[in-house]
Coordinates of all heavy atoms in Angstrom, one line a residue:
M27 N -11.3 -9.9 -0.9 CA -11.0 -9.6 -2.2 C -9.5 -9.1 -2.2 O -9.1 -8.3 -1.4 CB -11.9 -8.4 -2.8 CG -13.3 -8.7 -2.8 SD -14.3 -7.3 -3.2 CE -14.0 -7.0 -5.0
L28 N -8.7 -9.6 -3.2 CA -7.3 -9.3 -3.3 C -7.0 -8.3 -4.4 O -7.6 -8.4 -5.5 CB -6.5 -10.6 -3.5 CG -6.4 -11.6 -2.4 CD1 -5.6 -12.9 -2.9 CD2 -5.8 -11.1 -1.2
F29 N -6.1 -7.4 -4.0 CA -5.7 -6.3 -5.0 C -4.2 -6.2 -4.9 O -3.7 -6.1 -3.8 CB -6.4 -5.0 -4.7 CG -7.9 -5.0 -4.9 CD1 -8.7 -5.3 -3.8 CD2 -8.4 -4.7 -6.1 CE1 -10.1 -5.3 -4.0 CE2 -9.8 -4.7 -6.3 CZ -10.6 -5.0 -5.2
K30 N -3.6 -6.0 -6.1 CA -2.2 -5.6 -6.1 C -2.2 -4.1 -6.3 O -2.9 -3.6 -7.2 CB -1.4 -6.3 -7.3 CG 0.0 -5.7 -7.5 CD 0.7 -6.3 -8.7 CE 0.2 -5.8 -10.0 NZ 0.9 -4.5 -10.4
V31 N -1.4 -3.4 -5.5 CA -1.4 -1.9 -5.7 C 0.1 -1.6 -5.8 O 0.9 -1.9 -4.9 CB -2.0 -1.2 -4.5 CG1 -1.9 0.3 -4.6 CG2 -3.5 -1.6 -4.3
E32 N 0.5 -0.8 -6.8 CA 1.8 -0.3 -6.9 C 1.7 1.2 -6.6 O 0.8 1.9 -7.1 CB 2.4 -0.4 -8.4 CG 2.7 -1.9 -8.7 CD 3.6 -2.0 -9.9 OE1 4.4 -1.1 -10.2 OE2 3.5 -3.0 -10.6
M33 N 2.6 1.6 -5.6 CA 2.6 3.0 -5.2 C 3.9 3.6 -5.5 O 4.9 3.1 -5.1 CB 2.3 3.1 -3.7 CG 1.1 2.4 -3.2 SD 1.0 2.5 -1.4 CE -0.1 1.1 -1.1
V34 N 3.9 4.7 -6.2 CA 5.1 5.5 -6.5 C 5.0 6.8 -5.7 O 4.1 7.6 -5.9 CB 5.3 5.8 -8.0 CG1 6.6 6.6 -8.3 CG2 5.3 4.5 -8.8
V35 N 6.0 7.0 -4.9 CA 6.0 8.2 -4.0 C 6.7 9.3 -4.7 O 7.8 9.2 -5.2 CB 6.7 7.9 -2.6 CG1 6.5 9.1 -1.7 CG2 6.0 6.7 -2.0
K36 N 6.1 10.5 -4.7 CA 6.7 11.7 -5.3 C 6.5 12.9 -4.4 O 5.5 13.6 -4.5 CB 6.0 12.0 -6.7 CG 6.2 10.9 -7.7 CD 5.7 11.3 -9.1 CE 6.1 10.3 -10.2 NZ 5.0 9.4 -10.5
L37 N 7.4 13.0 -3.4 CA 7.3 14.1 -2.5 C 7.8 15.4 -3.2 O 8.8 15.3 -3.9 CB 8.1 13.8 -1.2 CG 7.5 12.7 -0.3 CD1 8.5 12.4 0.7 CD2 6.2 13.1 0.3
P38 N 7.1 16.5 -2.9 CA 7.7 17.8 -3.5 C 9.1 18.1 -3.1 O 9.4 17.9 -1.9 CB 6.7 18.9 -3.0 CG 5.5 18.1 -2.6 CD 5.9 16.7 -2.1
V39 N 9.9 18.5 -4.0 CA 11.3 18.7 -3.6 C 11.5 19.8 -2.6 O 12.5 19.8 -1.8 CB 12.2 19.0 -4.9 CG1 12.3 17.8 -5.8 CG2 11.6 20.2 -5.6
D40 N 10.5 20.7 -2.6 CA 10.6 21.8 -1.6 C 9.9 21.6 -0.3 O 9.7 22.5 0.5 CB 10.1 23.1 -2.3 CG 8.6 23.0 -2.7 OD1 8.1 21.8 -2.6 OD2 8.0 24.0 -3.1
M41 N 9.4 20.3 -0.1 CA 8.8 20.0 1.2 C 9.8 20.0 2.3 O 10.8 19.3 2.2 CB 8.0 18.6 1.1 CG 7.4 18.2 2.4 SD 6.6 16.6 2.3 CE 5.1 17.1 1.4
P42 N 9.5 20.7 3.4 CA 10.5 20.7 4.5 C 10.7 19.3 5.0 O 9.8 18.5 5.1 CB 9.8 21.6 5.6 CG 8.8 22.4 4.8 CD 8.4 21.6 3.7
V43 N 11.9 19.0 5.4 CA 12.3 17.6 5.9 C 11.5 17.2 7.1 O 11.0 16.1 7.2 CB 13.8 17.5 6.2 CG1 14.1 16.2 6.9 CG2 14.6 17.7 4.9
S44 N 11.2 18.2 7.9 CA 10.4 17.9 9.1 C 9.0 17.4 8.8 O 8.5 16.5 9.4 CB 10.3 19.2 10.0 OG 9.7 20.3 9.3
Q45 N 8.5 18.0 7.7 CA 7.1 17.6 7.2 C 7.2 16.2 6.6 O 6.3 15.4 6.9 CB 6.6 18.6 6.2 CG 5.1 18.3 5.7 CD 4.6 19.3 4.7 OE1 5.3 20.3 4.4 NE2 3.4 19.1 4.2
S46 N 8.1 16.0 5.7 CA 8.2 14.7 5.1 C 8.5 13.6 6.1 O 8.0 12.5 6.0 CB 9.3 14.7 3.9 OG 10.5 15.0 4.4
D47 N 9.4 13.9 7.1 CA 9.7 12.9 8.1 C 8.4 12.6 8.9 O 8.2 11.4 9.2 CB 10.8 13.4 9.0 CG 12.2 13.3 8.4 OD1 12.3 12.8 7.3 OD2 13.1 13.9 9.0
A48 N 7.6 13.6 9.2 CA 6.4 13.3 10.0 C 5.4 12.5 9.2 O 4.8 11.5 9.7 CB 5.8 14.6 10.4
L49 N 5.3 12.8 7.9 CA 4.4 12.0 7.0 C 4.8 10.6 6.9 O 4.0 9.6 7.0 CB 4.4 12.6 5.6 CG 3.5 13.8 5.3 CD1 3.8 14.4 3.9 CD2 2.0 13.4 5.4
K50 N 6.1 10.4 6.8 CA 6.7 9.0 6.6 C 6.5 8.2 7.9 O 6.1 7.0 7.9 CB 8.1 9.0 6.3 CG 8.4 9.5 4.9 CD 9.9 9.7 4.6 CE 10.2 10.4 3.4 NZ 11.7 10.7 3.2
K51 N 6.6 8.9 9.0 CA 6.4 8.2 10.3 C 5.0 7.8 10.5 O 4.7 6.6 10.9 CB 6.8 9.2 11.5 CG 6.7 8.6 12.9 CD 7.2 9.5 14.0 CE 7.1 8.9 15.4 NZ 5.7 8.7 15.8
T52 N 4.0 8.7 10.2 CA 2.6 8.3 10.4 C 2.2 7.3 9.4 O 1.4 6.4 9.7 CB 1.7 9.5 10.3 OG1 2.0 10.3 9.1 CG2 1.9 10.5 11.5
E53 N 2.8 7.4 8.2 CA 2.5 6.3 7.1 C 3.0 5.0 7.6 O 2.2 4.0 7.5 CB 3.2 6.8 5.8 CG 3.0 5.8 4.7 CD 1.7 6.0 3.9 OE1 1.1 7.1 4.0 OE2 1.3 5.1 3.1
R54 N 4.2 4.9 8.2 CA 4.7 3.7 8.6 C 3.9 3.1 9.7 O 3.6 1.9 9.7 CB 6.2 3.9 9.1 CG 6.9 2.6 9.6 CD 8.3 2.8 9.8 NE 8.6 3.9 10.8 CZ 9.1 5.1 10.4 NH1 9.4 5.3 9.1 NH2 9.3 6.0 11.3
E55 N 3.4 3.9 10.6 CA 2.6 3.4 11.8 C 1.3 2.8 11.2 O 0.9 1.7 11.6 CB 2.3 4.6 12.7 CG 3.6 5.0 13.5 CD 3.5 6.3 14.2 OE1 2.4 7.0 14.0 OE2 4.4 6.7 15.0
L56 N 0.6 3.5 10.3 CA -0.6 3.0 9.7 C -0.4 1.8 8.9 O -1.1 0.8 9.0 CB -1.3 4.1 8.9 CG -2.6 3.7 8.2 CD1 -3.6 3.2 9.3 CD2 -3.2 4.9 7.5
A57 N 0.7 1.8 8.1 CA 1.0 0.6 7.3 C 1.2 -0.6 8.2 O 0.7 -1.7 7.9 CB 2.2 0.9 6.4
Q58 N 1.9 -0.4 9.3 CA 2.1 -1.6 10.2 C 0.9 -2.0 10.9 O 0.7 -3.2 11.1 CB 3.3 -1.2 11.2 CG 4.6 -1.1 10.5 CD 5.8 -0.7 11.3 OE1 5.6 -0.1 12.4 NE2 7.0 -0.9 10.8
Q59 N 0.0 -1.1 11.2 CA -1.3 -1.5 11.8 C -2.1 -2.3 10.8 O -2.7 -3.3 11.2 CB -2.1 -0.2 12.2 CG -1.6 0.5 13.4 CD -2.3 1.9 13.6 OE1 -3.3 2.1 13.0 NE2 -1.7 2.7 14.4
L60 N -2.1 -1.8 9.6 CA -2.9 -2.5 8.6 C -2.3 -3.9 8.2 O -3.1 -4.8 7.9 CB -3.0 -1.7 7.3 CG -3.9 -0.4 7.5 CD1 -3.7 0.5 6.3 CD2 -5.4 -0.8 7.6
Q61 N -1.0 -4.0 8.3 CA -0.4 -5.3 8.1 C -0.8 -6.3 9.2 O -1.2 -7.4 9.0 CB 1.1 -5.2 8.0 CG 1.6 -4.5 6.7 CD 3.1 -4.3 6.8 OE1 3.9 -5.1 6.6 NE2 3.4 -3.0 7.0
A62 N -0.7 -5.7 10.5 CA -1.1 -6.6 11.6 C -2.6 -7.0 11.5 O -2.9 -8.1 12.0 CB -0.8 -5.8 12.9
S63 N -3.4 -6.2 10.9 CA -4.8 -6.5 10.8 C -5.1 -7.6 9.8 O -6.2 -8.1 9.7 CB -5.7 -5.2 10.5 OG -5.5 -4.9 9.1
G64 N -4.1 -7.7 8.9 CA -4.3 -8.7 7.8 C -4.8 -8.0 6.5 O -4.9 -8.7 5.4
K65 N -5.1 -6.8 6.5 CA -5.6 -6.1 5.3 C -4.5 -5.8 4.3 O -4.7 -5.7 3.1 CB -6.4 -4.8 5.7 CG -7.7 -5.1 6.4 CD -8.6 -3.9 6.6 CE -9.8 -4.2 7.3 NZ -10.7 -5.1 6.5
W66 N -3.3 -5.5 4.9 CA -2.2 -5.2 4.0 C -1.3 -6.4 4.1 O -0.4 -6.5 5.0 CB -1.5 -3.9 4.5 CG -0.6 -3.2 3.5 CD1 0.2 -3.8 2.6 CD2 -0.3 -1.8 3.4 NE1 0.9 -2.9 1.9 CE2 0.6 -1.6 2.4 CE3 -0.7 -0.7 4.2 CZ2 1.1 -0.4 2.0 CZ3 -0.2 0.6 3.8 CH2 0.7 0.7 2.7
R67 N -1.5 -7.3 3.2 CA -0.9 -8.7 3.3 C 0.6 -8.7 3.0 O 1.4 -9.4 3.5 CB -1.6 -9.6 2.3 CG -3.0 -10.0 2.8 CD -2.9 -10.7 4.2 NE -4.2 -11.2 4.6 CZ -4.6 -12.4 4.4 NH1 -3.9 -13.3 3.7 NH2 -5.8 -12.8 4.8
H68 N 1.0 -7.9 1.9 CA 2.4 -7.8 1.5 C 2.8 -6.4 1.2 O 1.9 -5.6 0.7 CB 2.6 -8.6 0.2 CG 2.6 -10.1 0.4 ND1 3.7 -10.8 0.6 CD2 1.6 -11.0 0.3 CE1 3.4 -12.1 0.7 NE2 2.1 -12.2 0.6
L69 N 4.0 -6.0 1.5 CA 4.5 -4.7 1.3 C 6.0 -4.9 0.9 O 6.8 -5.2 1.7 CB 4.4 -3.8 2.5 CG 5.1 -2.4 2.5 CD1 4.7 -1.6 1.3 CD2 4.9 -1.7 3.8
W70 N 6.3 -4.7 -0.4 CA 7.7 -4.9 -0.9 C 8.2 -3.6 -1.6 O 7.4 -3.0 -2.3 CB 7.7 -6.0 -1.9 CG 7.3 -7.3 -1.4 CD1 6.1 -7.9 -1.3 CD2 8.2 -8.3 -0.7 NE1 6.1 -9.1 -0.7 CE2 7.4 -9.4 -0.3 CE3 9.5 -8.3 -0.4 CZ2 7.9 -10.5 0.4 CZ3 10.0 -9.4 0.3 CH2 9.3 -10.4 0.7
R71 N 9.4 -3.2 -1.3 CA 10.1 -2.1 -2.0 C 10.4 -2.5 -3.4 O 10.9 -3.6 -3.6 CB 11.3 -1.7 -1.2 CG 12.1 -0.6 -1.9 CD 11.4 0.7 -2.0 NE 11.3 1.5 -0.7 CZ 10.2 2.1 -0.3 NH1 9.1 2.0 -1.0 NH2 10.3 2.8 0.8
I72 N 10.2 -1.7 -4.4 CA 10.6 -1.9 -5.7 C 12.1 -1.4 -5.8 O 12.3 -0.2 -5.6 CB 9.8 -1.2 -6.8 CG1 8.3 -1.7 -6.8 CG2 10.4 -1.3 -8.2 CD1 7.4 -1.0 -7.7
A73 N 13.0 -2.3 -6.0 CA 14.4 -2.0 -5.9 C 14.8 -0.9 -6.9 O 14.3 -0.8 -8.0 CB 15.3 -3.2 -6.3
G74 N 15.4 0.1 -6.3 CA 15.9 1.3 -7.1 C 14.9 2.4 -7.3 O 15.1 3.4 -8.0
Q75 N 13.7 2.2 -6.7 CA 12.7 3.2 -6.8 C 12.1 3.6 -5.4 O 12.1 2.7 -4.5 CB 11.5 2.8 -7.7 CG 11.8 2.4 -9.1 CD 10.6 2.0 -9.9 OE1 9.5 2.6 -9.7 NE2 10.7 0.9 -10.6
Y76 N 11.6 4.8 -5.3 CA 10.8 5.1 -4.0 C 9.4 4.7 -4.3 O 8.5 5.5 -4.6 CB 10.9 6.6 -3.7 CG 10.4 7.0 -2.3 CD1 9.9 6.0 -1.4 CD2 10.3 8.3 -2.0 CE1 9.5 6.4 -0.2 CE2 9.9 8.7 -0.7 CZ 9.4 7.7 0.2 OH 8.9 8.1 1.4
A77 N 9.2 3.4 -4.3 CA 7.9 2.8 -4.7 C 7.8 1.4 -4.1 O 8.8 0.8 -3.7 CB 7.9 2.7 -6.3
N78 N 6.5 1.0 -4.1 CA 6.3 -0.4 -3.5 C 5.3 -1.1 -4.3 O 4.5 -0.5 -5.1 CB 5.9 -0.3 -2.0 CG 4.4 0.2 -1.9 OD1 3.5 -0.5 -2.2 ND2 4.3 1.4 -1.4
V79 N 5.3 -2.4 -4.1 CA 4.3 -3.3 -4.6 C 3.6 -3.9 -3.3 O 4.3 -4.4 -2.5 CB 4.8 -4.5 -5.5 CG1 3.7 -5.5 -5.8 CG2 5.4 -3.9 -6.8
S80 N 2.3 -3.7 -3.3 CA 1.5 -4.2 -2.1 C 0.4 -5.1 -2.5 O -0.1 -5.0 -3.6 CB 1.0 -3.0 -1.3 OG 2.0 -2.2 -0.8
I81 N 0.0 -6.0 -1.6 CA -1.2 -6.8 -1.8 C -2.1 -6.5 -0.6 O -1.7 -6.6 0.5 CB -0.8 -8.3 -1.8 CG1 0.2 -8.7 -2.9 CG2 -2.1 -9.2 -1.9 CD1 -0.3 -8.6 -4.3
F82 N -3.3 -6.2 -1.0 CA -4.3 -5.9 0.0 C -5.4 -6.9 0.0 O -5.8 -7.4 -1.1 CB -5.0 -4.5 -0.2 CG -4.0 -3.4 0.1 CD1 -3.2 -2.8 -0.9 CD2 -4.0 -2.8 1.4 CE1 -2.3 -1.8 -0.6 CE2 -3.1 -1.8 1.6 CZ -2.3 -1.3 0.6
D83 N -5.9 -7.3 1.1 CA -7.1 -8.2 1.3 C -8.2 -7.5 2.0 O -8.1 -7.3 3.2 CB -6.6 -9.5 2.1 CG -7.7 -10.5 2.1 OD1 -8.8 -10.3 1.5 OD2 -7.4 -11.6 2.7
V84 N -9.2 -7.0 1.2 CA -10.3 -6.2 1.8 C -11.6 -6.7 1.3 O -11.7 -7.7 0.5 CB -10.1 -4.7 1.3 CG1 -8.9 -4.1 1.9 CG2 -10.0 -4.7 -0.2
E85 N -12.7 -6.2 1.9 CA -14.0 -6.7 1.7 C -14.6 -6.1 0.4 O -15.6 -6.7 -0.2 CB -14.9 -6.3 2.8 CG -14.5 -6.9 4.2 CD -14.5 -8.4 4.1 OE1 -15.4 -9.0 3.5 OE2 -13.5 -9.0 4.6
S86 N -14.1 -5.0 -0.1 CA -14.8 -4.4 -1.3 C -13.9 -3.4 -2.0 O -12.9 -2.9 -1.4 CB -16.1 -3.7 -0.9 OG -15.7 -2.5 -0.1
N87 N -14.2 -3.0 -3.2 CA -13.5 -2.0 -3.9 C -13.5 -0.7 -3.1 O -12.6 0.0 -3.0 CB -14.2 -1.7 -5.3 CG -14.0 -2.9 -6.2 OD1 -13.6 -4.0 -5.8 ND2 -14.5 -2.7 -7.5
E88 N -14.7 -0.4 -2.5 CA -14.9 0.8 -1.8 C -14.0 0.8 -0.5 O -13.3 1.9 -0.3 CB -16.3 0.9 -1.3 CG -16.6 2.2 -0.4 CD -16.4 3.5 -1.1 OE1 -16.5 3.5 -2.4 OE2 -16.2 4.5 -0.4
E89 N -13.8 -0.3 0.1 CA -12.9 -0.4 1.3 C -11.5 -0.1 0.9 O -10.8 0.7 1.5 CB -13.0 -1.7 2.0 CG -12.1 -1.8 3.3 CD -12.1 -3.1 3.9 OE1 -12.6 -4.1 3.4 OE2 -11.4 -3.2 5.0
L90 N -11.1 -0.7 -0.3 CA -9.7 -0.4 -0.8 C -9.6 1.1 -1.1 O -8.6 1.7 -0.6 CB -9.4 -1.2 -2.0 CG -8.0 -1.0 -2.6 CD1 -7.0 -1.6 -1.6 CD2 -7.9 -1.6 -4.0
H91 N -10.6 1.7 -1.7 CA -10.5 3.1 -2.1 C -10.3 3.9 -0.8 O -9.4 4.8 -0.7 CB -11.7 3.5 -2.8 CG -11.8 4.9 -3.2 ND1 -10.9 5.5 -4.1 CD2 -12.5 5.9 -2.8 CE1 -11.1 6.8 -4.3 NE2 -12.1 7.1 -3.5
Q92 N -11.2 3.7 0.2 CA -11.1 4.5 1.4 C -9.8 4.2 2.1 O -9.2 5.2 2.7 CB -12.3 4.1 2.3 CG -13.6 4.5 1.7 CD -13.7 6.0 1.4 OE1 -13.1 6.9 2.1 NE2 -14.4 6.4 0.4
L93 N -9.3 3.0 2.1 CA -8.0 2.7 2.8 C -6.9 3.4 2.2 O -6.1 4.1 2.8 CB -7.8 1.2 2.8 CG -6.6 0.6 3.5 CD1 -6.8 -0.9 3.8 CD2 -5.3 0.8 2.8
L94 N -6.8 3.4 0.8 CA -5.7 4.0 0.1 C -5.8 5.5 0.3 O -4.7 6.2 0.5 CB -5.7 3.7 -1.4 CG -5.5 2.2 -1.7 CD1 -5.6 1.9 -3.2 CD2 -4.1 1.7 -1.2
M95 N -7.0 6.1 0.3 CA -7.1 7.6 0.4 C -6.8 8.0 1.8 O -6.5 9.2 2.1 CB -8.5 8.0 0.0 CG -8.8 7.9 -1.5 SD -10.3 8.8 -2.0 CE -9.8 10.5 -1.7
S96 N -6.8 7.1 2.8 CA -6.5 7.4 4.2 C -5.0 7.5 4.5 O -4.6 7.9 5.5 CB -7.2 6.4 5.1 OG -6.5 5.2 5.2
L97 N -4.2 7.0 3.5 CA -2.8 6.9 3.8 C -2.2 8.4 3.8 O -2.5 9.2 2.9 CB -2.1 6.1 2.7 CG -2.5 4.6 2.6 CD1 -1.8 4.0 1.4 CD2 -2.1 3.9 3.9
P98 N -1.5 8.7 4.8 CA -0.9 10.1 4.9 C -0.1 10.5 3.7 O -0.2 11.7 3.3 CB 0.0 10.0 6.1 CG -0.6 8.8 7.0 CD -1.1 7.9 6.0
L99 N 0.5 9.6 3.0 CA 1.3 9.9 1.8 C 0.4 9.9 0.5 O 0.9 10.2 -0.5 CB 2.5 9.0 1.6 CG 3.7 9.2 2.6 CD1 4.7 8.1 2.4 CD2 4.3 10.5 2.3
Y100 N -0.9 9.6 0.7 CA -1.7 9.5 -0.5 C -1.6 10.7 -1.5 O -1.5 10.5 -2.7 CB -3.2 9.3 -0.1 CG -4.2 9.2 -1.3 CD1 -4.3 8.1 -2.0 CD2 -4.9 10.4 -1.6 CE1 -5.1 8.0 -3.1 CE2 -5.7 10.3 -2.7 CZ -5.8 9.2 -3.5 OH -6.7 9.1 -4.6
P101 N -1.6 11.9 -0.9 CA -1.6 13.0 -1.9 C -0.3 13.1 -2.7 O -0.2 13.8 -3.7 CB -1.6 14.3 -0.9 CG -2.2 13.8 0.3 CD -1.7 12.3 0.5
Y102 N 0.7 12.3 -2.3 CA 2.0 12.4 -2.9 C 2.4 11.0 -3.6 O 3.6 10.8 -3.8 CB 3.1 12.8 -1.9 CG 2.8 14.0 -1.1 CD1 2.3 13.8 0.2 CD2 2.8 15.2 -1.7 CE1 1.9 15.0 1.0 CE2 2.4 16.4 -0.9 CZ 2.0 16.2 0.4 OH 1.6 17.3 1.1
M103 N 1.4 10.2 -3.8 CA 1.6 8.9 -4.4 C 0.8 8.7 -5.7 O -0.3 9.1 -5.8 CB 1.3 7.8 -3.5 CG 2.3 7.7 -2.3 SD 2.2 6.1 -1.4 CE 0.7 6.3 -0.4
A104 N 1.4 8.1 -6.7 CA 0.7 7.7 -7.9 C 0.5 6.2 -7.7 O 1.4 5.4 -7.3 CB 1.6 7.9 -9.1
M105 N -0.8 5.8 -7.9 CA -1.1 4.4 -7.6 C -1.7 3.7 -8.8 O -2.4 4.3 -9.6 CB -2.2 4.3 -6.5 CG -1.7 4.8 -5.2 SD -2.8 4.5 -3.8 CE -2.0 5.2 -2.5
D106 N -1.4 2.4 -8.9 CA -1.9 1.5 -10.0 C -2.5 0.3 -9.3 O -1.8 -0.4 -8.6 CB -0.8 1.1 -10.9 CG -1.4 0.2 -12.1 OD1 -1.9 0.7 -13.0 OD2 -1.2 -1.0 -11.9
V107 N -3.8 0.1 -9.5 CA -4.6 -0.9 -8.7 C -5.0 -2.0 -9.7 O -5.5 -1.8 -10.8 CB -5.8 -0.4 -8.1 CG1 -6.6 -1.5 -7.4 CG2 -5.4 0.7 -7.0
T108 N -4.7 -3.3 -9.3 CA -5.1 -4.4 -10.1 C -5.8 -5.4 -9.3 O -5.3 -5.9 -8.2 CB -3.8 -5.1 -10.7 OG1 -3.1 -4.2 -11.5 CG2 -4.2 -6.3 -11.7
A109 N -7.0 -5.8 -9.7 CA -7.8 -6.9 -9.0 C -7.1 -8.3 -9.2 O -6.6 -8.5 -10.4 CB -9.2 -6.9 -9.5
L110 N -7.1 -9.1 -8.2 CA -6.5 -10.4 -8.3 C -7.5 -11.5 -8.0 O -8.5 -11.3 -7.3 CB -5.3 -10.5 -7.3 CG -4.1 -9.5 -7.5 CD1 -3.1 -9.7 -6.3 CD2 -3.5 -9.6 -8.8
C111 N -7.2 -12.7 -8.5 CA -8.0 -13.9 -8.1 C -7.0 -15.1 -8.1 O -5.9 -15.0 -8.5 CB -9.2 -14.1 -9.0 SG -8.7 -14.5 -10.7
R112 N -7.5 -16.2 -7.5 CA -6.6 -17.4 -7.4 C -6.2 -17.9 -8.7 O -7.0 -17.8 -9.7 CB -7.4 -18.5 -6.6 CG -7.4 -18.4 -5.1 CD -7.9 -19.6 -4.5 NE -7.1 -20.8 -4.9 CZ -5.8 -21.1 -4.4 NH1 -5.3 -20.2 -3.6 NH2 -5.2 -22.1 -4.8
H113 N -5.0 -18.4 -8.8 CA -4.5 -19.0 -10.0 C -4.7 -20.5 -9.8 O -4.4 -21.1 -8.8 CB -3.0 -18.8 -10.2 CG -2.5 -19.2 -11.6 ND1 -2.4 -20.5 -12.0 CD2 -2.2 -18.5 -12.7 CE1 -1.9 -20.6 -13.2 NE2 -1.8 -19.4 -13.7
P114 N -5.2 -21.2 -10.9 CA -5.5 -22.6 -10.7 C -4.3 -23.5 -10.4 O -4.4 -24.6 -9.9 CB -6.2 -23.0 -12.0 CG -5.8 -21.9 -13.0 CD -5.6 -20.7 -12.2
S115 N -3.1 -23.0 -10.7 CA -1.9 -23.8 -10.5 C -1.2 -23.4 -9.2 O -0.1 -23.9 -8.9 CB -0.9 -23.6 -11.7 OG -1.5 -23.9 -12.9
S116 N -1.8 -22.5 -8.5 CA -1.1 -22.0 -7.2 C -1.1 -23.1 -6.2 O -2.1 -23.9 -6.0 CB -1.8 -20.8 -6.7 OG -1.3 -20.5 -5.4
I117 N 0.0 -23.3 -5.5 CA 0.1 -24.3 -4.4 C -0.2 -23.6 -3.1 O -0.2 -24.3 -2.1 CB 1.5 -24.9 -4.4 CG1 2.6 -23.9 -4.1 CG2 1.8 -25.7 -5.7 CD1 3.9 -24.5 -3.7
R118 N -0.4 -22.3 -3.1 CA -0.6 -21.6 -1.9 C -2.1 -21.5 -1.5 O -2.9 -21.4 -2.4 CB -0.1 -20.2 -2.0 CG 1.4 -20.2 -2.2 CD 2.0 -18.8 -1.9 NE 3.5 -18.8 -2.3 CZ 4.4 -19.4 -1.6 NH1 4.1 -20.1 -0.5 NH2 5.7 -19.3 -2.0
D119 N -2.4 -21.5 -0.2 CA -3.8 -21.3 0.2 C -4.2 -19.9 -0.2 O -3.4 -19.0 -0.3 CB -3.9 -21.5 1.7 CG -3.6 -23.0 2.1 OD1 -3.8 -23.8 1.2 OD2 -3.2 -23.2 3.2
A120 N -5.5 -19.7 -0.3 CA -6.0 -18.4 -0.7 C -5.6 -17.3 0.3 O -5.5 -16.2 -0.1 CB -7.6 -18.5 -0.8
D121 N -5.2 -17.8 1.5 CA -4.9 -16.7 2.5 C -3.4 -16.3 2.4 O -2.9 -15.7 3.3 CB -5.2 -17.2 3.9 CG -4.3 -18.3 4.4 OD1 -3.5 -18.8 3.5 OD2 -4.3 -18.7 5.5
L122 N -2.8 -16.6 1.3 CA -1.4 -16.2 1.0 C -0.5 -16.7 2.1 O 0.4 -15.9 2.6 CB -1.4 -14.7 0.9 CG -2.1 -14.0 -0.3 CD1 -2.0 -12.5 -0.2 CD2 -1.5 -14.5 -1.6
Ligands
MUC216 O1 7.5 3.8 1.3 C1 6.6 3.6 0.6 O2 6.6 2.7 -0.3 C2 5.3 4.4 0.7 C3 4.5 4.1 1.9 C4 4.0 2.7 2.0 C5 4.3 2.2 3.2 C6 5.0 3.2 3.9 O3 5.5 3.1 5.0 O4 5.3 4.3 3.1

C-alpha cells in the first residue's frame, strides 16, 4: 500500500544542540535502513522548509502508523498522510 507523507519538523528552540544532533543522527540511520528495505521509497526535502515529502510502501495502515510513530523525531513533527493508488496514465511500474 502506498502513502504520501509530508513531515514538518518543529524542534523546540530551547532543545540543546547535543540532543537535537543525536535525534537527527538516529533519525537519519533509521530513515536509511527503511529506504534500503524498500518501505521508505522516496524522501525529498521541501525547498525552503525543514520538511519533507515521502512515499512509503507498507502492508497496512497500522504498519504505517507504527513506522511513523517509531521515528525518533516523531514527537517533533507534524505529519499529513495521504493514501495513494496507481494512476491509469502512469507509465511507471507500480514499484515506482
Ligand atoms: O529531515 C527531515 O525531513 C525529518 C526526518 C526525515 C528523515 C530524516 O532523516 O529526518
Side-chain angles (χ1 to χ4, degrees):
M27 298 171 73
L28 290 178
F29 295 90
K30 174 183 73 85
V31 180
E32 291 197 29
M33 305 177 202
V34 180
V35 184
K36 298 186 171 102
L37 292 170
V39 292
D40 59 351
M41 178 181 282
V43 171
S44 59
Q45 182 181 357
S46 61
D47 285 351
L49 276 172
K50 292 173 190 176
K51 180 176 183 294
T52 51
E53 178 88 12
R54 181 170 54 254
E55 289 164 356
L56 180 55
Q58 292 177 341
Q59 287 170 16
L60 288 167
Q61 290 172 79
S63 75
K65 288 189 182 294
W66 199 329
R67 287 299 183 95
H68 286 270
L69 171 57
W70 297 93
R71 177 63 79 221
I72 296 175
Q75 298 182 43
Y76 190 4
N78 74 70
V79 172
S80 293
I81 302 292
F82 289 90
D83 188 358
V84 292
E85 296 303 316
S86 65
N87 295 6
E88 176 65 23
E89 182 185 7
L90 179 69
H91 178 67
Q92 293 303 326
L93 186 159
L94 296 176
M95 289 192 68
S96 75
L97 298 175
L99 285 174
Y100 177 79
Y102 310 103
M103 291 196 283
M105 295 190 181
D106 180 79
V107 176
T108 304
L110 301 175
C111 61
R112 279 192 58 75
H113 191 289
S115 302
S116 174
I117 62 168
R118 297 195 185 290
D119 293 336
D121 68 353
L122 293 177

